Amino acid sequence: QRQLVESGGGLVQAGGSLRVSCAASGRTFNLYTMGWFRQAPGKERQFVATMTWRGNTYYADSVKGRFTISRDRNTVYLQMNSLKPEDTAVYYCVADTTNFASSVPDDYRYWGQGTQVTVSS
């Protein structure tokens, strides 16, 4: 059974940095596209960033230049710099066999349980 487990969320002041991680287990995810979505209270789930197994990356405009996605075998990271209060959300790790750096939630079959990131003003 494939599993994704996020860690590293927390509380940070605006302008600060935080790194969240996602460890994949169960089967190798080396050939999977892995990424991140987020959901703030009362809002729809929002694409953040993704990376294909070939290393192609794709970012939401709202985080471009501030967030960086990276991966090491079965772990994917999201380095978040210059955080803003509007970045506050539950961050979800996702994975699937798609060859595209998709921003569509339905393209990802595997989801983690989420980790809370709170940015105070």
Side-chain angles (χ1 to χ4, degrees):
Q1 183 179 358
R2 297 177 180 85
Q3 283 191 316
L4 303 174
V5 179
E6 301 97 336
S7 62
L11 174 65
V12 63
Q13 287 189 330
S17 298
L18 204 62
R19 188 177 81 160
V20 291
S21 304
C22 171
S25 63
R27 293 278 290 271
T28 179
F29 280 78
N30 286 352
L31 299 183
Y32 281 57
T33 289
M34 298 184 72
W36 296 89
F37 284 76
R38 67 187 181 187
Q39 188 166 22
K43 295 189 177 181
E44 293 187 352
R45 201 160 285 188
Q46 180 186 43
F47 167 73
V48 177
T50 192
M51 176 181 276
T52 68
W53 64 271
R54 295 178 184 273
N56 297 319
T57 58
Y58 181 41
Y59 295 91
D61 288 342
S62 60
V63 306
K64 208 171 290 183
R66 300 187 298 121
F67 291 11
T68 303
I69 189 171
S70 61
R71 60 190 294 177
D72 177 18
R73 297 177 66 84
N74 281 359
T75 301
V76 63
Y77 305 94
L78 185 68
Q79 176 67 44
M80 302 180 288
N81 298 328
S82 302
L83 282 161
K84 305 174 181 179
E86 51 263 44
D87 294 318
T88 295
V90 176
Y91 282 70
Y92 296 92
C93 175
V94 298
D96 209 293
T97 52
T98 176
N99 288 324
F100 302 99
S102 175
S103 63
V104 178
D106 287 346
D107 285 343
Y108 297 91
R109 285 173 291 171
Y110 306 105
W111 290 71
Q113 83 287 352
T115 185
Q116 177 70 47
V117 171
T118 302
V119 184
S120 63
S121 56

